[in-house]
Every structure is written in structure tokens, then in C-alpha cells.
Amino acid sequence: GAKSAVIFNKTDLIQINLREKTSQKYKSVQVKYFNPKTKKTVTASAKNDSVKKGDTLKITTRITNKKQAQTMANAALANSNTKIEGTFETVGNPNLVAGSNVEIKGIGHFSGKYHLKTVRHYLDRTNGYKTYCEVESC
């Protein structure tokens, strides 16, 4: 995965507001690949039983075998179902730039790597230099 530019602990953050985006929830994922050599179609699927109604994400890609297809289906299902987005604010940090990644630790289920979508540096009259970031899980 992409390297994190900065690692934060919960205590480094002034304010944090993250939520799980559920519109991405898929009931299942199906990976399909037609192998031109064997003239066979390889398919694999993964199901999320906790999602009662949702779409099936269909992926057609070049894979070499069933195991690879299964791994991809499982990963795609996991990724599609756990998109976390939100914002956080921290003491001013010039290393935070849009497009880079950070890691946040100590926030339980929400701990992990985040992609900085937008970053705003500003001066607050009472608290000095601050950085406000809009993020999504990566």
C-alpha cells in the first residue's frame, strides 16, 4: 500500500469526525475472467451475509486461477463495504498536503490509513496555526 506521510494518535487530533459510508455496500462480489488459452471462464464470488439488500459488484479482469479470483473477490467485498470518510483537525502541520496519505491510530474500528482529499491550513486567533483535513479510507 501507499506509505503514510504522517502518523497520528487520537491525542494528536483536536477534532475528528468519521463515518462509515454505507451506500457502497454490496451484497456480493463476482470476479470473472475468460482464459483464452483454455477457452474457459474462471469465476469466484464473495458474499456479505450482513447486507440484506444490495447490488452485486461485477469485476471482469485478467486473473490466472480460481484462487486469485477468490482473493480478489474477498478484497473487493471488504473494500466496498468499509469506506470511511470524514474530517479531522490538528495542530498546524505543513507536511499535510492533499493527495497524500496519513495513518490514524487509537480510534478503534476507525484506525487505519486515510487519503487526504482536501487540506486547509489556517490561523485561528485563539489557538494559532491549525490544519483541517477531509479524508477517506484507503
Side-chain angles (χ1 to χ4, degrees):
K3 262 179 71 69
S4 301
V6 182
I7 295 173
F8 290 106
N9 282 304
K10 185 183 181 182
T11 50
D12 302 325
L13 304 172
I14 297 165
Q15 174 271 109
I16 182 162
N17 177 5
L18 297 171
R19 65 193 174 280
E20 263 181 309
K21 196 173 164 202
T22 52
S23 63
Q24 294 264 256
K25 281 206 188 295
Y26 288 104
K27 194 172 180 62
S28 61
V29 174
Q30 188 179 53
V31 176
K32 202 178 204 171
Y33 172 60
F34 178 75
N35 185 331
K37 287 197 185 98
T38 62
K39 302 269 188 279
K40 285 197 169 102
T41 300
V42 177
T43 60
S45 61
K47 240 193 164 103
N48 183 346
D49 295 324
S50 69
V51 177
K52 294 289 169 255
K53 55 178 203 268
D55 296 327
T56 297
L57 173 63
K58 291 186 165 69
I59 301 171
T60 303
T61 185
R62 206 190 164 103
I63 39 180
T64 50
N65 57 42
K66 179 94 175 166
K67 188 174 185 282
Q68 205 178 358
Q70 194 59 60
T71 302
M72 189 175 282
N74 294 345
L77 187 67
N79 289 341
S80 72
N81 286 334
T82 55
K83 195 63 155 175
I84 298 168
E85 52 184 31
T87 61
F88 72 82
E89 194 172 45
T90 182
V91 171
N93 186 333
N95 297 324
L96 296 176
V97 289
S100 61
N101 294 328
V102 298
E103 191 171 341
I104 304 174
K105 294 180 166 177
I107 52 170
H109 169 70
F110 289 100
S111 296
K113 287 197 167 90
Y114 288 88
H115 180 71
L116 299 178
K117 293 200 304 193
T118 62
V119 176
R120 211 169 69 233
H121 298 276
Y122 67 97
L123 280 171
D124 180 299
R125 253 185 216 167
T126 45
N127 304 315
Y129 177 37
K130 297 245 198 93
T131 303
Y132 178 85
C133 304
E134 229 181 286
V135 298
E136 68 182 5
S137 57
C138 61

mmCIF file of all heavy atoms in Angstrom, residues 32 68 130 133:
data_model
loop_
_atom_site.group_PDB
_atom_site.id
_atom_site.type_symbol
_atom_site.label_atom_id
_atom_site.label_comp_id
_atom_site.label_asym_id
_atom_site.label_seq_id
_atom_site.Cartn_x
_atom_site.Cartn_y
_atom_site.Cartn_z
ATOM 1 N N LYS A 32 -14.776 -12.394 -12.650
ATOM 2 C CA LYS A 32 -14.901 -13.249 -13.816
ATOM 3 C C LYS A 32 -13.730 -13.005 -14.767
ATOM 4 O O LYS A 32 -13.338 -11.863 -14.987
ATOM 5 C CB LYS A 32 -16.194 -12.851 -14.516
ATOM 6 C CG LYS A 32 -16.793 -13.879 -15.420
ATOM 7 C CD LYS A 32 -18.090 -13.311 -15.972
ATOM 8 C CE LYS A 32 -19.036 -14.397 -16.397
ATOM 9 N NZ LYS A 32 -20.344 -13.874 -16.727
ATOM 10 N N GLN A 68 -6.742 -16.866 -7.172
ATOM 11 C CA GLN A 68 -6.523 -15.431 -7.374
ATOM 12 C C GLN A 68 -7.864 -14.710 -7.495
ATOM 13 O O GLN A 68 -8.044 -13.629 -6.951
ATOM 14 C CB GLN A 68 -5.699 -15.229 -8.649
ATOM 15 C CG GLN A 68 -4.911 -13.950 -8.658
ATOM 16 C CD GLN A 68 -4.073 -13.808 -9.926
ATOM 17 O OE1 GLN A 68 -4.055 -14.682 -10.794
ATOM 18 N NE2 GLN A 68 -3.386 -12.701 -10.035
ATOM 19 N N LYS A 130 -3.558 25.935 12.517
ATOM 20 C CA LYS A 130 -4.303 24.675 12.510
ATOM 21 C C LYS A 130 -4.342 24.098 11.093
ATOM 22 O O LYS A 130 -4.213 24.831 10.122
ATOM 23 C CB LYS A 130 -5.757 24.919 12.929
ATOM 24 C CG LYS A 130 -5.933 25.441 14.335
ATOM 25 C CD LYS A 130 -6.669 24.402 15.151
ATOM 26 C CE LYS A 130 -7.273 24.958 16.397
ATOM 27 N NZ LYS A 130 -8.641 25.372 16.233
ATOM 28 N N CYS A 133 -8.488 18.677 7.620
ATOM 29 C CA CYS A 133 -8.383 17.718 6.519
ATOM 30 C C CYS A 133 -9.683 16.971 6.277
ATOM 31 O O CYS A 133 -10.369 16.574 7.210
ATOM 32 C CB CYS A 133 -7.316 16.675 6.830
ATOM 33 S SG CYS A 133 -5.703 17.366 7.179
#
